[in-house]
Structure formats: C-alpha cells, structure tokens
Amino acid sequence: MVQIALVKSEVEIARCFPIMQQLRPHLIETDFTTRVRRQEQQGYYLIYLEDEDTVRAVAGFRLSESLSWGKFLYVDDLIVADEHRSQGYGQALLQWLINYAKSHDCQQLHLDSGVQRFAAHRFYFQQRLEIRAYHFAIDIN
C-alpha cells in the first residue's frame, strides 16, 4: 500500500538517503541527517513515498512568500528511485505536494530542474507544469 509521510525520525531520514543520493550524488551519508535537521530549522520538510515497506520516492520542500509569487511551495528535491520510475510514484508525490500547498493557502508551486534532466522535464510537462523563468547562478569561491 502506497503511503506518503513527512519524516519525523532520524531513522526515516536515513531511509531516504539512497533515493536522495540518486538526485544529489555529492551528498555524504554520514552528514545527511545533520543537513536535513539543519534545513528543517529553516523551514525545510522532507517527505517520502513508501510502497511495500520500501521507500520509492523522496521530496524536499519549503513554504515561502515573495512579492512576485505571493505564498508558494518551493520543491527543492523530487526524485523517484531509478528502478521504480513510470509506476505513478512521481505523480502521487507531486499531487501530495500540490494538495499540501493548497491546504497552506499557497497560490503556486515552484521547482527548478537541471537543464540536463530531460526525462524529468517530460514528466513535469505531463503534470501541467510550465517553464516560466530562467534561473541564473554564479559560484562564489
């Protein structure tokens, strides 16, 4: 049975690591729980989708507000395990996020996606997300 839940325990955070690492390969397992807990203090939430007692998908998000977007939900991370894609897990997770945003009076949901993630972009278009802006960045060393 598919269940989606907000992480509460460090055990749940640790169970999310193998999936999250597929999206964020630079992450180090021994630092993951500490980083999630630190980000939680800044409004970050981590959720996971579980089916048959196995974590199949993970998402990290935060609620925020800006002059340009009003109140919105921003998806930092959204990943379905490679071996479990195209089984409806991504759609279920995204719908959960949309419902959460609605229940918290958000007007929009936003996410950024790396330009190289073509399969993810196909999925987002299928879910009716639109490209509305370019995201610019610079490394500061």
Side-chain angles (χ1 to χ4, degrees):
M1 181 169 149
V2 174
Q3 295 182 5
I4 299 174
L6 286 162
V7 299
K8 294 183 179 105
S9 71
E10 294 188 357
V11 170
E12 289 172 314
I13 293 171
R15 290 182 67 217
C16 293
F17 177 77
I19 310 303
M20 185 66 79
Q21 192 178 41
Q22 290 180 14
L23 178 65
R24 311 276 182 230
H26 64 278
L27 293 176
I28 300 168
E29 189 169 11
T30 54
D31 298 336
F32 185 62
T33 298
T34 302
R35 289 184 71 171
V36 168
R37 289 296 192 207
R38 188 171 55 242
Q39 287 181 214
E40 285 176 336
Q41 294 173 4
Q42 300 167 13
Y44 180 81
Y45 297 92
L46 184 63
I47 62 171
Y48 62 96
L49 181 148
E50 184 176 52
D51 191 14
E52 298 178 2
D53 296 321
T54 302
V55 175
R56 311 288 176 139
V58 174
F61 69 96
R62 61 191 78 235
L63 300 176
S64 193
E65 189 169 354
S66 71
L67 295 175
S68 59
W69 299 336
K71 191 168 181 188
F72 64 96
L73 185 148
Y74 183 82
V75 181
D76 292 77
D77 318 289
L78 177 62
I79 184 73
V80 175
D82 288 337
E83 65 274 17
H84 298 295
R85 294 200 177 139
S86 299
Q87 297 178 30
Y89 297 131
Q91 184 176 12
L93 206 55
L94 186 58
Q95 190 58 56
W96 187 98
L97 290 163
I98 290 168
N99 292 340
Y100 190 91
K102 285 179 184 177
S103 71
H104 288 80
D105 300 317
C106 294
Q107 288 83 42
Q108 299 181 27
L109 178 143
H110 285 260
L111 61 82
D112 288 329
S113 181
V115 295
Q116 78 285 1
R117 300 193 65 230
F118 303 113
H121 302 163
R122 279 192 301 276
F123 169 73
Y124 297 141
F125 288 136
Q126 289 170 350
Q127 304 307 308
R128 300 186 348 256
L129 277 73
E130 304 168 344
I131 297 173
R132 293 192 180 169
Y134 288 106
H135 178 96
F136 293 92
I138 187 170
D139 291 333
I140 309 221
N141 296 334

